[in-house]
């Protein structure tokens, strides 16, 4: 019996080695190192801008991007909403969950996990609190990551700083650079907007969009509109003209257009009146002869107002109000025509996705 037990142990060990080798061959360790970050600023539109900027920085640094989950009231694996594989046409990536399960034990064991924070020179690294508050704490906790130490830096996240990054934080000493926040400014740099083409929808999202298109509009054309009209947005726009800024939140998406005649963001662009919204919507309906309207909003869908104002056009107005905003984004991205808010990063997400497909977009208070 003892002989059989020894033989069994040997076979089990060989099988274990085989499994490990299989897993390691599936995920080869990148000698250039890895980088990841918390998508912890704002809601979906902000997170996607930060993700694209972080993707660009990972390529500049030549480290594999550990693709962070998106954040609602919990971590949402990137692959639930988008295809990981399509990102690889641009740069090396691995899903955060796969990295933690398959590679972290070898590359980044618990005793080696160091967090990185940007801090001014006059601030001690003790202020680099990687997991303090929400969503920072829950974000890292749900990935089962604790940090044994922190690094405070004040380097920029651009091509001019890459040599410094590589010199100070080499991959042999820091195999993983885990940043408290995304390594990119907001709003995102215009030069990286095209990266949206690598964010392909998952089959789950596409299937749900197709179901809604069938149920709401019987697969006929529709105009998608995005309305920002909650109280917080109203306050954010109240004094916007006094700033005389061309770069207020996501406003460069329209003010940078060749057709723009605006020198800075106006209140009409940021918080259009109901009359401005109804007039532009009517113009688009008369121009396109599309009578189906899909409304996405953070507060007031204006269904009654639209139906009354456009009664002669016999419009059909639908508003899903999904719990997950990604559904609204996807529905708007696939609309035949879209009208959005120039200052909103939610709209900018939709516009970039539509630009990939050469679909038309207009903006309240900006377009005619």
């Amino acid at each position: 019996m003892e002989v059989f037990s020894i033989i069994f142990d040997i076979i089990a060990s060989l099988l274990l080695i085989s499994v490990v080798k299989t897993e390691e061959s599936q995920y080869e360790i990148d000698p250039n190192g890895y980088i990841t970050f918390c998508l912890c600023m704002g809601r979906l539109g902000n997170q996607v801008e930060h993700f694209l900027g972080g993707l660009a920085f990972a390529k500049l640094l030549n480290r594999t991007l550990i693709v962070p989950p998106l954040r609602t009231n919990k971590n949402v694996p990137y692959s639930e909403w988008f295809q990981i594989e399509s990102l690889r046409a641009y740069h090396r990536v691995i899903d955060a969950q796969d990295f933690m399960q398959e590679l972290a034990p070898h590359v980044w064991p618990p005793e080696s996990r160091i967090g990185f924070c940007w801090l001014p020179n006059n601030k001690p690294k003790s202020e680099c609190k990687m997991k303090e508050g929400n969503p920072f704490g829950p974000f890292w906790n749900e990935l089962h990551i604790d940090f044994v130490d922190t690094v405070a830096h004040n380097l920029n996240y651009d091509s001019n700083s890459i040599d410094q990054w590589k010199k100070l934080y080499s991959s042999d000493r820091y195999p993983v650079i885990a940043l408290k926040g995304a390594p990119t400014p907001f709003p995102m740099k215009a030069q990286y907007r095209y990266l949206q083409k690598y964010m392909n929808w998952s089959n789950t999202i596409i299937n749900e969009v197709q179901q809604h298109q069938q149920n709401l509009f019987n697969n006929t054309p529709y105009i998608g509109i995005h309305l920002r009209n909650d109280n917080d947005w109203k306050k954010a726009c109240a004094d916007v003209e006094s700033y005389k800024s061309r770069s207020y939140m996501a406003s460069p998406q329209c003010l940078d257009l060749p057709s723009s005649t605006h020198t800075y963001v106006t209140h009409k662009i940021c918080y259009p009146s109901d009359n401005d919204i109804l007039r532009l919507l009517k113009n688009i309906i008369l121009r396109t002869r599309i009578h189906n309207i899909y409304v996405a909003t953070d507060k007031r869908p204006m269904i009654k107002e639209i139906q009354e104002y456009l009664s002669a056009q016999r419009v059909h107005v639908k508003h899903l109000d999904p719990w997950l905003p990604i559904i609204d984004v996807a529905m708007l991205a696939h609309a035949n025509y879209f009208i959005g808010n120039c200052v909103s990063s939610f709209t900018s997400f939709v516009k970039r996705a539509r630009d990939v497909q050469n679909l038309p977009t207009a903006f309240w208070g900006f377009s005619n």
Side-chain angles (χ1 to χ4, degrees), residues 18 22 47 53 71 80 112 118 123-124 139-142 159 169 191 225 229 231 235 263 326 329 331 341-342 350 360:
S18 175
T22 300
Q47 290 180 37
R71 188 77 195 165
E80 284 194 18
S112 302
W118 186 95
K123 298 289 185 180
F139 177 88
W140 297 112
N141 285 339
E142 289 173 35
S159 57
Y169 310 116
Q191 70 198 78
I225 67 173
N229 51 30
N231 288 331
K235 292 175 184 177
T263 54
I326 193 68
V329 172
M331 285 294 293
N341 188 300
C342 166
V350 175

Side-chain angles (χ1 to χ4, degrees), residues 95-140:
D95 186 79
Q97 285 73 18
D98 290 342
F99 177 83
M100 292 306 299
Q101 291 174 13
E102 312 296 347
L103 292 185
H106 312 286
V107 176
W108 202 42
E111 66 272 15
S112 302
R113 293 174 186 173
I114 297 173
F116 283 68
C117 291
W118 186 95
L119 287 174
N121 282 328
N122 61 345
K123 298 289 185 180
K125 80 168 190 175
S126 59
E127 293 197 17
C128 178
K129 297 177 172 61
M130 292 288 294
K131 299 178 68 173
E132 184 175 279
N134 188 0
F136 298 98
F139 177 88
W140 297 112

Side-chain angles (χ1 to χ4, degrees), residues 44-58:
L44 180 62
N46 293 33
Q47 290 180 37
V48 172
E49 291 208 14
H50 273 177
F51 173 74
L52 293 176
L55 175 64
F57 184 68

Side-chain angles (χ1 to χ4, degrees), residues 211-230:
Q211 289 175 11
H212 291 316
Q213 290 173 328
Q214 169 64 37
N215 295 336
L216 298 178
F217 304 120
N218 196 28
N219 288 332
T220 56
Y222 64 98
I223 297 168
I225 67 173
H226 177 215
L227 305 177
R228 286 299 309 263
N229 51 30
D230 70 352

Side-chain angles (χ1 to χ4, degrees), residues 20-302:
V20 171
K21 284 185 176 179
T22 300
E23 290 175 348
E24 289 180 350
S25 66
Q26 182 182 357
Y27 299 103
E28 294 183 4
I29 294 173
D30 186 352
N32 298 296
Y34 299 81
I35 184 171
T36 194
F37 45 87
C38 179
L39 289 173
C40 291
M41 193 200 84
R43 292 183 285 186
L44 180 62
N46 293 33
Q47 290 180 37
V48 172
E49 291 208 14
H50 273 177
F51 173 74
L52 293 176
L55 175 64
F57 184 68
K59 187 176 179 70
L60 285 173
L61 205 54
N62 195 29
R63 284 175 174 257
T64 294
L65 176 63
I66 302 170
V67 178
L70 294 144
R71 188 77 195 165
T72 56
N73 64 332
K74 63 178 182 178
N75 286 354
V76 178
Y78 182 90
S79 57
E80 284 194 18
W81 293 349
F82 305 99
Q83 298 177 29
I84 284 278
E85 188 60 38
S86 61
L87 294 173
R88 296 192 173 110
Y90 176 73
H91 186 56
R92 304 183 306 278
V93 299
I94 181 172
D95 186 79
Q97 285 73 18
D98 290 342
F99 177 83
M100 292 306 299
Q101 291 174 13
E102 312 296 347
L103 292 185
H106 312 286
V107 176
W108 202 42
E111 66 272 15
S112 302
R113 293 174 186 173
I114 297 173
F116 283 68
C117 291
W118 186 95
L119 287 174
N121 282 328
N122 61 345
K123 298 289 185 180
K125 80 168 190 175
S126 59
E127 293 197 17
C128 178
K129 297 177 172 61
M130 292 288 294
K131 299 178 68 173
E132 184 175 279
N134 188 0
F136 298 98
F139 177 88
W140 297 112
N141 285 339
E142 289 173 35
L143 289 171
H144 307 290
I145 295 174
D146 289 306
F147 298 99
V148 297
D149 199 0
T150 56
V151 168
H153 75 90
N154 59 1
L155 298 180
N156 293 325
Y157 304 120
D158 56 31
S159 57
N160 296 325
S161 303
I162 293 302
D163 289 343
Q164 287 178 282
W165 275 98
K166 291 183 176 180
K167 182 179 179 180
L168 292 173
Y169 310 116
S170 60
S171 59
D172 56 343
R173 186 176 178 187
Y174 299 100
V176 176
I177 293 177
L179 296 158
K180 182 176 182 179
T184 185
F186 178 83
M188 68 185 298
K189 294 180 179 179
Q191 70 198 78
Y192 295 134
R193 290 175 190 155
Y194 81 98
L195 296 181
Q196 189 70 50
K197 71 179 182 178
Y198 299 106
M199 289 187 71
N200 292 347
W201 301 104
S202 69
N203 289 335
T204 300
I205 296 297
I206 289 297
N207 289 339
E208 184 161 348
V209 166
Q210 290 175 345
Q211 289 175 11
H212 291 316
Q213 290 173 328
Q214 169 64 37
N215 295 336
L216 298 178
F217 304 120
N218 196 28
N219 288 332
T220 56
Y222 64 98
I223 297 168
I225 67 173
H226 177 215
L227 305 177
R228 286 299 309 263
N229 51 30
D230 70 352
N231 288 331
D232 287 343
W233 191 257
K234 185 176 182 178
K235 292 175 184 177
C237 296
D239 300 318
V240 68
E241 294 192 7
S242 66
Y243 309 148
K244 297 190 182 303
S245 174
R246 292 184 60 83
S247 184
Y248 185 59
M249 292 189 269
S251 65
Q253 67 173 319
C254 70
L255 295 191
D256 285 353
L257 292 173
S259 60
S260 175
T261 59
H262 294 79
T263 54
Y264 55 85
V265 179
T266 64
H267 186 269
K268 185 177 180 179
I269 289 175
C270 192
Y271 197 87
S273 68
D274 287 5
N275 286 336
D276 290 331
I277 289 168
L278 294 170
R279 280 196 297 268
L280 179 57
L281 181 55
K282 183 176 182 178
N283 288 344
I284 299 300
I285 288 171
L286 294 176
R287 192 181 309 160
T288 63
R289 298 183 180 179
I290 298 173
H291 299 268
N292 295 321
I293 302 166
Y294 180 87
V295 182
T297 182
D298 54 1
K299 183 67 173 179
R300 191 165 56 93
M302 292 181 59

Side-chain angles (χ1 to χ4, degrees), residues 303-320:
I303 294 175
K304 182 179 179 181
E305 293 88 341
I306 292 170
Q307 289 173 333
E308 289 179 355
Y309 188 82
L310 298 172
S311 60
Q313 282 69 43
R314 298 181 180 179
V315 294
H316 304 281
V317 188
K318 302 295 181 180
H319 172 53
L320 278 179

